[in-house]
Structure formats: C-alpha cells, structure tokens
Amino acid sequence: QNSTIFAPAPEFSGDAYFKYYGLVESDNPIGKEYISSTTQFAEIANFIKAADIGVASLKKELALLKYVYASKIFDYMACGTPMVVAMSGASADLVCRDAKFGLCVEPGDKENFKKAILEIYNNPKKGVEMGKKGTDYLKKNLDKERLSEDYLRVLYPNPVT
C-alpha cells in the first residue's frame, strides 16, 4: 500500500508535525508530503489530489476558530481528498457532520488523531467514499452561483420588479 498524507501545517514544519502526533516511527507505513510557505498556490491542488489523506490540526482548542472555517478544508473537498481534523467548531462540523468526508478528533488528542489516520489508511475504499462525499457536498451546497443567489435574497428579500 502506498499512501500519502498531505499536511500543510502552520504550527509545525516538516517532520516536527508528524513527530508531535507520533506518526514518524521506523516501522511507520505511511508516506508523507508537506509543503513549504514558498510552494506556489497553483501546485497545491496537485499535492492534495495525489494524497490519500489530508490533515488539519490544532495542538489546543482556540475559541476564535470555533466560528470560522479553515480554508484548506475547501481545497480538500474540491480535490476529493478525505480529511482527519483535530479541531472543533465550524471546521469539524463541516468535515464530520455536514459533508461527512472525514474523521474528527479533539484538538491535541494525539492518540485518536493517529487512530483516525490509520483508519482511513487501512480502509482505502472508505477514504475514496469520504472524498467523494466532500466533493458532492461542495458542488451541492457551496456552489458559487447558488451562494450568490442566496446572498442576493438576503440583501434584497423583496425585489422590486
């Protein structure tokens, strides 16, 4: 099995991210790819599409992030890459409750984060199904044309004809 985890990680760089979560071990079967801050935006989609699993995590819960989406989630959805997130709030709700395209654990929960990654890694068919759910959800619920129409209806609930 040749799996890759894609982990753009603002809190860590390189292997420090994987060491924190206990994913770098000599017998670790999981490959890893990560990007640097100098990676061109146009290249990111290729990395995400090539990955079997995407991850996003926080070492601890941050109150502000409970109410906003981590923008990388939309990139993973568009590319059909399932996610494992160690977050709470809006991002976790989108990934695990609404779109159902990944697995969620509490921020900083190293053991369950590792288990969630291995669950997708050991069940590639499940990963593909999750990734498709993300793409389907994005197309159905977050299409820019539909969102624009919804926004205009909020601004102008009683349009003059």
Side-chain angles (χ1 to χ4, degrees):
Q1 210 171 10
N2 187 13
S3 248
T4 300
I5 300 171
F6 180 68
E11 295 180 14
F12 306 102
S13 62
D15 285 340
Y17 182 85
F18 296 97
K19 286 178 185 171
Y20 176 77
Y21 283 105
L23 293 169
V24 176
E25 300 171 5
S26 60
D27 61 347
N28 181 19
I30 299 176
K32 59 193 181 317
E33 292 293 331
Y34 48 86
I35 62 171
S36 70
S37 60
T38 60
T39 301
Q40 296 296 313
F41 185 76
E43 294 177 59
I44 293 174
N46 293 328
F47 282 107
I48 295 172
K49 287 178 184 177
D52 297 300
I53 305 166
V55 298
S57 68
L58 297 172
K59 285 200 272 186
K60 62 181 180 177
E61 189 170 324
L62 300 174
L64 173 66
L65 296 180
K66 287 186 118 178
Y67 306 104
V68 297
Y69 295 110
S71 60
K72 67 182 85 175
I73 290 172
F74 301 106
D75 298 332
Y76 291 115
M77 290 175 98
C79 293
T81 303
M83 290 192 75
V84 174
V85 298
M87 297 178 169
S88 58
S91 292
D93 289 347
L94 178 61
V95 171
C96 294
R97 185 192 68 203
D98 302 336
K100 297 180 176 91
F101 84 105
L103 301 174
C104 295
V105 301
E106 290 298 315
D109 185 346
K110 297 177 190 180
E111 191 59 36
N112 283 321
F113 189 74
K114 183 176 179 178
K115 285 179 184 177
I117 289 172
L118 291 173
E119 182 178 333
I120 294 174
Y121 173 78
N122 291 322
N123 299 288
K125 184 177 177 184
K126 181 177 184 174
V128 170
E129 290 169 1
M130 286 178 161
K132 183 173 178 345
K133 286 180 183 179
T135 303
D136 291 347
Y137 184 90
L138 185 69
K139 289 177 183 175
K140 181 180 177 187
N141 298 289
L142 302 173
D143 173 73
K144 68 181 177 179
E145 300 295 328
R146 187 178 150 257
L147 291 174
S148 297
E149 290 169 8
D150 290 349
Y151 183 66
L152 289 173
R153 274 195 292 279
V154 169
L155 288 177
Y156 307 105
N158 300 312
V160 178
T161 55

